[in-house]
Amino acid sequence: MKAAALPGALAARQPAPPAAGNNAPVKRRLPRVEAASIILPLLAGVGVLLFWTALSQTVSPDLPSPLRTWQESKRYVLNPFFKEGEMSQGIGRLAFYSLMRVMKGYSLALLFGTPLGFLIGLSKFASRALDPLIQVLRPISPLAWLPLGLVIFQRSEPAALFTIALCAMWPTVLNTAVGVRSISSDYLNVGRVLNLPRSKMFFSIILPATLPYVFTGYRLSLGIAWLVIVASEMLTGAPGVGGFLWQEYNALVYSHIILSILTIGFVGFLLDRLMGTIEARFKST
Amino acid sequence: MSYLELNNVTKRFSTPKGTREVLKGVNLSVQEGEFAAIVGYSGSGKTTLLSLIAGLLQPDEGEILLQGKPIDGPGPDRGIVFQNYSLLPWMTAFENVHLAVTARFRDVSAAQQEDRTQHYLKLVRLEHAAWKRPNELSGGMRQRVAVARGLAMRPKILLLDEPFSALDALTRASLQDELASIWERERTTILMITNDVDEAALLADRIYPLTPGPGATLGDPIPVEIQRPRVKRELSLSPAYQKVRKQIVEFLTRKRAGAAR
């Protein structure tokens, strides 16, 4: 992955914007922008908390208030990696289990999705044959795939991975195919004029030209994989954030549902940021 | 027999509005070691003509012969410098040229391939920027990498598609001089396409005017009998230059008036 390392080096080498003589107004404005970007989300957050509190005090008495949620959850948050048995573990540990499961399923999705995307992008025949099939398979919910996975594999873990891979691969497949199809004919002409052998044509021209699209696909796929993990854990009862959520719902500890939801959102956000950073590096070339 | 020969070449494109004849009955012959230029208006089918010679397109009628052999498909014996440079943005200047060298000289040792790449980068005076990527290079430098890549294929003929049209006037002038001196050293057969009459007169031995499309065709070649090395500043005073310029402009304007009628 030579191409993967180099764009980063390039970004690091780019010179900082020159310090202009009249940068005083810029300096004064910068902190204000940053303050707004902190204060406004905080205000929105406080608004949600107030609404949540009001809701818990009035129409839905079963909904734990923010304060009660915190009191009942802080053990899981402040000591996120404790383990007292299958049913009682820190939220960090549970998130880690989910992440590991996602990474396995996600890797499978990339492993199958990337070559499939290139195949569809490169071959009109494959594209004609597979496009309609993909259009039909793509909108199927993980909740529908999982039972089929259980039937096929007889065990919950491979069924979960099967579901994640099958749901998460489509953005990778489609973006890769689009990326291959939208390679500038100029680049392809360079390869044609040089009479490049097929392998070199692929690795020197088609692959690097497609990489930005591929990584957009990877980012979207990871988002879907994280969505699917919760559903699949809820159905299979596997240890993880989703499994915990369902278990605590059945145990009537509703504050832990909220804890799980917030954890899922937070981890998903971090994953997206991570992939966004990687993707941006490829876009810059 | 001429080195590159086009006999009665016609190219049509089918559009939603019907078939469009871009080139009609084009005849051209370029001698070995010659610097030939085709001058025409934008959109008159110049790039189509070059793509045909490069083998990226196939003619609908007529034949294209290189050293008496018909051209089928693209190949590194016809180096091409594209109008927009077409450098691969994920490769450094060195890698862009090296790709051409390794594709052309597969049986040569890796060290020799690298030497050759360095040689051509040096030829266009870019050895200091060898490890930069195209987006770190100025337009003029990119064009030089493209020329180095074209020459590095050691082509029988180097095809230049409006090589300097995207550059500012100062850069264009210095690159024109450089191309002239490179050509005098290397004596690669060159066919350049341009919309700049002065550029053609400065660089070429013979100039073919291309009538405006549709149905564009080449007029008779106009020889440029000006001593080399040619100096741009003195060129406009030379009677030979004035004669060439007048012939081309007259041909093109007459044809355009005819086409408009």
Side-chain angles (χ1 to χ4, degrees):
Chain A
M1 285 304 285
K2 193 166 155 213
L6 286 170
L10 184 75
R13 241 187 295 131
Q14 254 149 25
N22 59 345
N23 60 354
V26 178
K27 266 198 168 168
R28 229 178 291 136
R29 217 174 63 215
L30 254 178
R32 208 163 64 205
V33 171
E34 278 176 6
S37 68
I38 292 171
I39 289 170
L40 289 179
L42 270 181
L43 280 177
V46 170
V48 169
L49 283 179
L50 286 176
F51 180 70
W52 173 6
T53 311
L55 211 61
S56 66
Q57 301 303 320
T58 54
V59 282
S60 48
D62 279 350
L63 178 73
S65 71
L67 188 66
R68 213 179 108 204
T69 305
W70 170 246
Q71 280 166 346
E72 292 178 7
S73 305
K74 73 180 173 203
R75 191 163 87 91
Y76 293 82
V77 179
L78 296 178
N79 187 8
F81 294 103
F82 79 86
K83 181 172 182 177
E84 287 172 355
E86 278 309 303
M87 305 309 255
S88 176
Q89 307 187 42
I91 199 72
R93 187 177 278 273
L94 291 169
F96 177 76
Y97 292 149
S98 294
L99 272 175
M100 284 301 104
R101 198 169 289 119
V102 159
M103 283 309 140
K104 283 185 212 158
Y106 177 60
S107 306
L108 280 176
L110 302 195
L111 207 65
F112 287 97
T114 314
L116 189 59
F118 275 108
L119 181 70
I120 290 173
L122 289 170
S123 149
K124 277 222 169 72
F125 182 79
S127 156
R128 280 213 191 137
L130 296 174
D131 252 351
L133 196 64
I134 290 173
Q135 298 309 327
V136 173
L137 292 180
R138 205 163 56 103
I140 298 174
S141 156
L143 300 172
W145 284 120
L146 193 73
L148 186 65
L150 289 169
V151 169
I152 296 173
F153 297 103
Q154 304 287 323
R155 286 188 305 123
S156 67
E157 192 66 21
L161 300 187
F162 164 81
T163 308
I164 294 166
L166 213 52
C167 290
M169 71 191 278
W170 306 121
T172 294
V173 173
L174 296 176
N175 272 281
T176 305
V178 167
V180 172
R181 279 184 211 140
S182 47
I183 298 177
S184 158
S185 62
D186 294 337
Y187 300 155
L188 297 176
N189 280 344
V190 168
R192 290 176 63 198
V193 166
L194 291 173
N195 262 349
L196 291 183
R198 271 169 169 268
S199 64
K200 203 153 193 181
M201 187 82 177
F202 182 79
F203 286 107
S204 294
I205 294 182
I206 293 171
L207 181 65
T210 315
L211 271 187
Y213 288 86
V214 174
F215 271 82
T216 302
Y218 284 2
R219 182 169 62 85
L220 298 174
S221 282
L222 185 57
I224 291 188
W226 186 244
L227 278 179
V228 171
I229 186 74
V230 176
S232 72
E233 282 179 359
M234 281 172 74
L235 284 184
T236 59
V241 187
F244 180 68
L245 193 155
W246 195 245
Q247 167 203 309
E248 297 300 285
Y249 167 71
N250 287 325
L252 308 178
V253 190
Y254 298 149
S255 59
H256 290 171
I257 295 176
I258 295 167
L259 170 68
S260 303
I261 287 175
L262 291 176
T263 308
I264 290 162
F266 192 63
V267 173
F269 167 77
L270 286 183
L271 286 178
D272 193 65
R273 272 296 154 94
L274 182 75
M275 288 305 285
T277 314
I278 297 172
E279 189 191 349
R281 290 195 161 191
F282 282 92
K283 286 265 158 73
S284 68
T285 42
Chain B
M1 194 188 63
S2 48
Y3 199 59
L4 173 75
E5 201 171 314
L6 272 70
N7 293 325
N8 229 349
V9 168
T10 296
K11 179 69 191 173
R12 301 183 196 93
F13 287 114
S14 45
T15 64
K17 287 182 201 156
T19 326
R20 215 169 70 91
E21 202 159 59
V22 180
L23 297 169
K24 188 178 180 184
V26 172
N27 291 300
L28 170 78
S29 77
V30 178
Q31 308 302 321
E32 184 163 11
E34 185 184 31
F35 195 134
I38 295 173
V39 179
Y41 292 105
S42 303
S44 56
K46 298 195 297 281
T47 300
T48 306
L49 180 55
L50 212 66
S51 303
L52 287 168
I53 299 170
L56 296 168
L57 296 174
Q58 304 303 320
D60 294 308
E61 280 168 35
E63 55 174 3
I64 303 174
L65 305 171
L66 184 64
Q67 287 184 309
K69 272 179 251 155
I71 280 169
D72 60 337
D77 55 345
R78 282 148 289 141
I80 182 163
V81 176
F82 296 94
Q83 188 171 1
N84 55 4
Y85 320 141
S86 294
L87 298 178
L88 303 175
W90 50 86
M91 290 185 178
T92 63
F94 182 91
E95 288 167 335
N96 266 289
V97 178
H98 197 248
L99 182 72
V101 171
T102 50
R104 180 71 160 127
F105 303 100
R106 282 172 202 170
D107 308 329
V108 170
S109 77
Q112 275 177 304
Q113 288 176 341
E114 285 203 9
D115 284 350
R116 236 173 249 242
T117 307
Q118 293 290 5
H119 168 77
Y120 286 103
L121 283 172
K122 211 177 268 174
L123 195 68
V124 296
R125 299 195 290 118
L126 268 185
E127 57 279 40
H128 63 283
W131 300 107
K132 289 190 173 168
R133 280 157 196 277
N135 64 0
E136 299 172 284
L137 299 173
S138 68
M141 290 161 98
R142 284 180 211 179
Q143 186 56 289
R144 285 195 229 164
V145 178
V147 169
R149 181 174 65 185
L151 288 170
M153 296 177 207
R154 280 284 186 84
K156 290 176 179 160
I157 184 166
L158 183 64
L159 308 167
L160 306 175
D161 186 3
E162 300 202 8
F164 308 124
S165 61
L167 302 173
D168 64 88
L170 290 172
T171 313
R172 189 184 310 153
S174 76
L175 275 183
Q176 285 166 347
D177 289 343
E178 255 175 64
L179 181 63
S181 78
I182 289 172
W183 177 73
E184 270 166 50
R185 256 177 296 160
E186 300 273 310
R187 288 285 165 176
T188 308
T189 311
I190 291 183
L191 177 62
M192 177 177 75
I193 277 179
T194 179
N195 55 21
D196 183 346
V197 178
D198 294 335
E199 182 172 274
L202 178 70
L203 294 167
D205 297 317
R206 283 194 301 154
I207 300 174
Y208 285 88
L210 183 70
T211 64
T217 194
L218 289 175
D220 288 331
I222 297 160
V224 187
E225 282 146 354
I226 306 174
Q227 282 285 307
R228 290 178 192 268
R230 299 169 185 166
V231 181
K232 199 172 192 183
R233 273 174 287 121
E234 294 162 12
L235 210 60
S236 53
L237 301 171
S238 141
Y241 166 78
Q242 281 163 359
K243 199 180 108 195
V244 166
R245 200 187 147 82
K246 193 162 160 253
Q247 275 179 290
I248 296 170
V249 172
E250 258 176 21
F251 179 88
L252 290 178
T253 46
R254 197 172 62 233
K255 287 293 176 184
R256 184 152 77 167
R261 220 177 288 134

mmCIF file of all heavy atoms in Angstrom, chain B residues 173-189:
data_model
loop_
_atom_site.group_PDB
_atom_site.id
_atom_site.type_symbol
_atom_site.label_atom_id
_atom_site.label_comp_id
_atom_site.label_asym_id
_atom_site.label_seq_id
_atom_site.Cartn_x
_atom_site.Cartn_y
_atom_site.Cartn_z
ATOM 1 N N ALA B 173 6.569 30.905 -24.053
ATOM 2 C CA ALA B 173 7.712 31.305 -24.878
ATOM 3 C C ALA B 173 8.953 30.530 -24.485
ATOM 4 O O ALA B 173 9.683 30.022 -25.345
ATOM 5 C CB ALA B 173 7.943 32.808 -24.740
ATOM 6 N N SER B 174 9.209 30.379 -23.178
ATOM 7 C CA SER B 174 10.448 29.701 -22.796
ATOM 8 C C SER B 174 10.361 28.211 -23.099
ATOM 9 O O SER B 174 11.357 27.591 -23.477
ATOM 10 C CB SER B 174 10.766 29.972 -21.324
ATOM 11 O OG SER B 174 9.936 29.202 -20.509
ATOM 12 N N LEU B 175 9.160 27.622 -22.975
ATOM 13 C CA LEU B 175 9.036 26.202 -23.297
ATOM 14 C C LEU B 175 9.159 25.946 -24.801
ATOM 15 O O LEU B 175 9.672 24.916 -25.220
ATOM 16 C CB LEU B 175 7.704 25.649 -22.774
ATOM 17 C CG LEU B 175 7.718 25.216 -21.318
ATOM 18 C CD1 LEU B 175 6.374 24.629 -20.930
ATOM 19 C CD2 LEU B 175 8.802 24.177 -21.062
ATOM 20 N N GLN B 176 8.676 26.905 -25.586
ATOM 21 C CA GLN B 176 8.836 26.763 -27.043
ATOM 22 C C GLN B 176 10.322 26.715 -27.407
ATOM 23 O O GLN B 176 10.755 25.868 -28.190
ATOM 24 C CB GLN B 176 8.161 27.937 -27.761
ATOM 25 C CG GLN B 176 6.643 27.831 -27.777
ATOM 26 C CD GLN B 176 5.975 29.125 -28.184
ATOM 27 O OE1 GLN B 176 6.601 30.185 -28.241
ATOM 28 N NE2 GLN B 176 4.678 29.053 -28.444
ATOM 29 N N ASP B 177 11.092 27.615 -26.801
ATOM 30 C CA ASP B 177 12.535 27.607 -27.055
ATOM 31 C C ASP B 177 13.156 26.297 -26.617
ATOM 32 O O ASP B 177 14.009 25.723 -27.313
ATOM 33 C CB ASP B 177 13.207 28.776 -26.313
ATOM 34 C CG ASP B 177 12.842 30.112 -26.949
ATOM 35 O OD1 ASP B 177 12.373 30.089 -28.110
ATOM 36 O OD2 ASP B 177 13.012 31.153 -26.291
ATOM 37 N N GLU B 178 12.715 25.815 -25.453
ATOM 38 C CA GLU B 178 13.278 24.570 -24.961
ATOM 39 C C GLU B 178 12.956 23.405 -25.881
ATOM 40 O O GLU B 178 13.809 22.573 -26.168
ATOM 41 C CB GLU B 178 12.721 24.267 -23.574
ATOM 42 C CG GLU B 178 13.725 24.526 -22.483
ATOM 43 C CD GLU B 178 13.116 24.324 -21.123
ATOM 44 O OE1 GLU B 178 12.740 23.181 -20.830
ATOM 45 O OE2 GLU B 178 12.994 25.303 -20.371
ATOM 46 N N LEU B 179 11.703 23.373 -26.340
ATOM 47 C CA LEU B 179 11.300 22.286 -27.234
ATOM 48 C C LEU B 179 12.139 22.335 -28.509
ATOM 49 O O LEU B 179 12.604 21.301 -29.002
ATOM 50 C CB LEU B 179 9.809 22.399 -27.564
ATOM 51 C CG LEU B 179 9.264 21.296 -28.466
ATOM 52 C CD1 LEU B 179 9.372 19.941 -27.783
ATOM 53 C CD2 LEU B 179 7.814 21.569 -28.853
ATOM 54 N N ALA B 180 12.372 23.549 -29.023
ATOM 55 C CA ALA B 180 13.184 23.688 -30.235
ATOM 56 C C ALA B 180 14.581 23.132 -30.004
ATOM 57 O O ALA B 180 15.118 22.387 -30.834
ATOM 58 C CB ALA B 180 13.253 25.156 -30.656
ATOM 59 N N SER B 181 15.164 23.454 -28.835
ATOM 60 C CA SER B 181 16.537 22.994 -28.624
ATOM 61 C C SER B 181 16.578 21.492 -28.365
ATOM 62 O O SER B 181 17.505 20.804 -28.791
ATOM 63 C CB SER B 181 17.192 23.791 -27.496
ATOM 64 O OG SER B 181 16.756 23.317 -26.256
ATOM 65 N N ILE B 182 15.556 20.967 -27.667
ATOM 66 C CA ILE B 182 15.495 19.510 -27.456
ATOM 67 C C ILE B 182 15.377 18.805 -28.803
ATOM 68 O O ILE B 182 16.055 17.818 -29.076
ATOM 69 C CB ILE B 182 14.307 19.134 -26.547
ATOM 70 C CG1 ILE B 182 14.585 19.569 -25.117
ATOM 71 C CG2 ILE B 182 14.050 17.636 -26.599
ATOM 72 C CD1 ILE B 182 13.391 19.404 -24.206
ATOM 73 N N TRP B 183 14.513 19.341 -29.663
ATOM 74 C CA TRP B 183 14.309 18.698 -30.966
ATOM 75 C C TRP B 183 15.597 18.726 -31.777
ATOM 76 O O TRP B 183 15.949 17.758 -32.442
ATOM 77 C CB TRP B 183 13.193 19.404 -31.731
ATOM 78 C CG TRP B 183 12.997 18.821 -33.090
ATOM 79 C CD1 TRP B 183 12.430 17.621 -33.381
ATOM 80 C CD2 TRP B 183 13.418 19.379 -34.326
ATOM 81 N NE1 TRP B 183 12.452 17.393 -34.730
ATOM 82 C CE2 TRP B 183 13.056 18.462 -35.333
ATOM 83 C CE3 TRP B 183 14.057 20.570 -34.678
ATOM 84 C CZ2 TRP B 183 13.316 18.707 -36.680
ATOM 85 C CZ3 TRP B 183 14.313 20.818 -36.016
ATOM 86 C CH2 TRP B 183 13.939 19.886 -37.010
ATOM 87 N N GLU B 184 16.335 19.841 -31.700
ATOM 88 C CA GLU B 184 17.567 19.908 -32.483
ATOM 89 C C GLU B 184 18.600 18.912 -31.987
ATOM 90 O O GLU B 184 19.399 18.404 -32.761
ATOM 91 C CB GLU B 184 18.123 21.338 -32.462
ATOM 92 C CG GLU B 184 17.558 22.141 -33.630
ATOM 93 C CD GLU B 184 17.785 23.628 -33.511
ATOM 94 O OE1 GLU B 184 18.934 24.027 -33.255
ATOM 95 O OE2 GLU B 184 16.811 24.382 -33.673
ATOM 96 N N ARG B 185 18.553 18.606 -30.690
ATOM 97 C CA ARG B 185 19.482 17.614 -30.158
ATOM 98 C C ARG B 185 19.023 16.181 -30.465
ATOM 99 O O ARG B 185 19.792 15.343 -30.859
ATOM 100 C CB ARG B 185 19.620 17.794 -28.636
ATOM 101 C CG ARG B 185 20.927 18.459 -28.237
ATOM 102 C CD ARG B 185 20.958 18.663 -26.741
ATOM 103 N NE ARG B 185 19.912 19.594 -26.332
ATOM 104 C CZ ARG B 185 19.438 19.670 -25.092
ATOM 105 N NH1 ARG B 185 19.872 18.871 -24.166
ATOM 106 N NH2 ARG B 185 18.509 20.555 -24.789
ATOM 107 N N GLU B 186 17.734 15.926 -30.234
ATOM 108 C CA GLU B 186 17.240 14.548 -30.309
ATOM 109 C C GLU B 186 16.804 14.151 -31.718
ATOM 110 O O GLU B 186 16.821 12.984 -32.071
ATOM 111 C CB GLU B 186 16.049 14.367 -29.363
ATOM 112 C CG GLU B 186 16.366 14.638 -27.910
ATOM 113 C CD GLU B 186 16.901 13.416 -27.187
ATOM 114 O OE1 GLU B 186 16.278 12.356 -27.296
ATOM 115 O OE2 GLU B 186 17.948 13.538 -26.540
ATOM 116 N N ARG B 187 16.337 15.139 -32.491
ATOM 117 C CA ARG B 187 15.854 14.897 -33.855
ATOM 118 C C ARG B 187 14.767 13.823 -33.909
ATOM 119 O O ARG B 187 14.738 12.984 -34.816
ATOM 120 C CB ARG B 187 17.007 14.535 -34.785
ATOM 121 C CG ARG B 187 17.897 15.716 -35.104
ATOM 122 C CD ARG B 187 17.245 16.654 -36.074
ATOM 123 N NE ARG B 187 17.950 17.950 -36.104
ATOM 124 C CZ ARG B 187 17.659 18.942 -36.918
ATOM 125 N NH1 ARG B 187 16.675 18.820 -37.791
ATOM 126 N NH2 ARG B 187 18.322 20.077 -36.872
ATOM 127 N N THR B 188 13.925 13.827 -32.881
ATOM 128 C CA THR B 188 12.750 12.962 -32.933
ATOM 129 C C THR B 188 11.779 13.551 -33.948
ATOM 130 O O THR B 188 11.664 14.769 -34.039
ATOM 131 C CB THR B 188 12.061 12.928 -31.553
ATOM 132 O OG1 THR B 188 13.036 12.610 -30.572
ATOM 133 C CG2 THR B 188 10.941 11.916 -31.514
ATOM 134 N N THR B 189 11.142 12.702 -34.714
ATOM 135 C CA THR B 189 10.107 13.201 -35.609
ATOM 136 C C THR B 189 8.941 13.719 -34.770
ATOM 137 O O THR B 189 8.463 13.019 -33.875
ATOM 138 C CB THR B 189 9.610 12.078 -36.531
ATOM 139 O OG1 THR B 189 10.749 11.435 -37.094
ATOM 140 C CG2 THR B 189 8.707 12.618 -37.615
#
